[in-house]
Amino acid sequence: MDGTPLDRERYVSLETFRKDGSGVKTPVWAAPLDGGLVVFSEGRSYKVARIRRDPRGRVAGCSVRGVVHGPWYEARCSLIEDAREVARAHAAIRKKYGFQGFILDVAAGLAGRTKRRAWLRIELTEAPPGKE
């Protein structure tokens, strides 16, 4: 699969799983990169902690408020640790979100949050409907 069916979505709902197996859904920005998606989050967030413990996830297109409007895709999530890969992920987000991404970066930089970001790779583990 070259890209994902979610590449053009403005927001995606990322569902990660607690120890008890219950899911937690969060709307996030996501940009296409290397056939998957990249996302960033506050490095100390529960979402990042859940992914460190369990790489399973699900993603679907959604609104800014997290209202899902498309099919769910099973996914594998991982943290991006390599500085070059982080730079590529950041560039992908900046390319997709343009001026809005720039403003968020400036605000995060002023608040000291940029260095605390965790960058995530999301790889869909199932083919889009009709592509099997």
Side-chain angles (χ1 to χ4, degrees):
M1 167 176 13
D2 285 331
T4 78
L6 303 172
D7 287 357
R8 292 191 174 156
E9 291 286 347
R10 194 80 182 146
Y11 299 92
V12 299
S13 181
L14 172 60
E15 183 175 21
T16 55
F17 298 94
R18 293 183 177 120
K19 288 179 185 176
D20 69 4
S22 62
V24 179
K25 299 174 183 114
T26 309
V28 295
W29 281 357
L33 184 65
D34 298 337
L37 298 170
V38 290
V39 169
F40 67 93
S41 182
E42 212 297 326
R44 296 176 294 192
S45 70
Y46 288 116
K47 169 180 28 299
V48 172
R50 287 189 295 271
I51 289 169
R52 284 186 196 281
R53 186 187 44 74
D54 182 355
R56 290 179 309 126
R58 293 190 329 146
V59 287
C62 72
S63 70
V64 66
R65 298 197 187 280
V67 177
V68 173
H69 57 248
W72 284 97
Y73 296 90
E74 298 296 321
R76 178 175 175 76
C77 306
S78 59
L79 284 136
I80 302 171
E81 306 282 358
D82 179 76
R84 286 187 195 148
E85 292 303 308
V86 166
R88 291 183 68 229
H90 189 204
I93 290 284
R94 288 290 296 273
K95 179 179 178 184
K96 181 173 179 179
Y97 293 95
F99 187 70
Q100 194 176 7
F102 171 77
I103 295 297
L104 184 69
D105 280 348
V106 169
L110 291 172
R113 293 188 314 263
T114 305
K115 292 181 181 179
R116 294 194 314 250
R117 283 181 179 168
W119 290 87
L120 310 171
R121 177 174 285 110
I122 301 171
E123 298 174 32
L124 275 56
T125 56
E126 71 175 25
K131 301 270 183 180
E132 303 193 26

